[in-house]
């Protein structure tokens, strides 16, 4: 592993442990050249997943796109970075547990919205408004009404 500080190849693992989600390993490393320590994460490589977009274009799955959407939805909301990462991990696990090689972006969006609904109502509505492309106030109100009716149950 190349040292991020001095770019030398002489590094060694000094500690390993499972990461929070138990699907990756956290490794503390020490550079033999500069003596600095750094952390790496090792994750199982999965089958490449292709996402079918709304316009029928296909592109490789990219976790950062889900992360960006969720971060925008949670902006200035009382949601911690850990909660956001946990939500994204849950979405990813659900997607990969389907064991499909291709998935529609619509399906990913629905999974994200389902998880956001349980996490934070305002973030859910923000995400839904962009994802479902609300055209007017009535569409927005319909979604809010559904959300309010579900909370009353």
């Amino acid at each position: 592993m190349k040292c991020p500080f001095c770019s030398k190849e002489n590094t060694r693992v000094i500690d390993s442990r499972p990461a929070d989600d138990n699907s990756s390993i956290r490794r503390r490393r020490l550079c033999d050249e500069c003596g600095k320590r750094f952390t790496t994460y090792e994750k199982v490589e999965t089958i490449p997943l292709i996402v079918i977009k709304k316009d029928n274009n296909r592109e490789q799955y990219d976790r950062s796109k889900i992360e960006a959407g969720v971060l925008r939805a949670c902006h200035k909301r009382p949601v911690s970075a850990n909660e956001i990462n946990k939500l994204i991990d849950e979405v990813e696990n659900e997607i990969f547990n389907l064991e499909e090689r291709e998935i529609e972006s619509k399906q990913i969006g629905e999974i994200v919205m389902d998880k956001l609904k349980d996490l934070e109502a305002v973030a859910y509505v923000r995400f839904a408004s962009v994802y479902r492309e609300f055209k007017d106030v009535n569409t927005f109100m319909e979604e809010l009404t559904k959300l309010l009716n579900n909370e009353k149950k």
Side-chain angles (χ1 to χ4, degrees):
M1 175 69 62
K2 190 186 245 184
C3 174
F5 303 104
C6 70
S7 298
K8 300 290 185 198
E9 300 272 339
N10 300 348
T11 64
R12 58 189 155 107
V13 175
I14 55 174
D15 181 41
S16 288
R17 65 180 74 165
D20 296 331
D21 60 359
N22 257 350
S23 66
S24 59
I25 297 174
R26 178 183 182 271
R27 298 195 191 280
R28 287 294 291 159
R29 294 179 176 271
L30 174 68
C31 177
D32 292 334
E33 294 292 323
C34 68
K36 294 204 177 184
R37 294 177 179 210
F38 59 99
T39 303
T40 60
Y41 291 88
E42 185 178 308
K43 199 167 192 158
V44 174
E45 191 170 48
T46 56
I47 299 168
L49 180 65
I50 303 299
V51 177
I52 305 168
K53 307 296 280 183
K54 289 178 186 175
D55 62 2
N56 274 338
N57 280 334
R58 285 168 163 71
E59 62 181 49
Q60 194 162 358
Y61 169 78
D62 183 359
R63 177 188 170 101
S64 66
K65 289 190 175 189
I66 295 173
E67 191 172 27
V70 172
L71 285 171
R72 269 192 304 275
C74 293
H75 184 67
K76 293 190 178 182
R77 299 303 306 153
V79 181
S80 72
N82 283 343
E83 290 172 311
I84 290 170
N85 281 329
K86 185 176 179 234
L87 180 140
I88 296 166
D89 287 342
E90 288 173 4
V91 169
E92 239 180 18
N93 285 337
E94 196 166 322
I95 290 168
F96 286 113
N97 284 340
L98 296 172
E99 296 182 5
E100 298 288 334
R101 290 189 174 263
E102 292 187 335
I103 186 169
E104 291 185 9
S105 61
K106 178 182 177 187
Q107 193 174 359
I108 295 172
E110 294 295 330
I111 293 169
V112 171
M113 283 194 303
D114 188 49
K115 304 280 183 202
L116 272 175
K117 192 184 292 183
D118 297 335
L119 181 66
E120 219 280 331
V122 173
Y124 163 75
V125 173
R126 284 178 177 172
F127 189 89
S129 70
V130 173
Y131 174 72
R132 291 204 175 129
E133 299 173 345
F134 292 169
K135 302 291 184 221
D136 56 27
V137 177
N138 292 332
T139 316
F140 199 83
M141 286 305 295
E142 287 171 19
E143 194 65 36
L144 285 175
T145 304
K146 279 191 244 173
L147 184 64
L148 289 171
N149 287 339
N150 284 341
E151 284 183 1
K152 289 178 185 176
K153 291 180 182 177

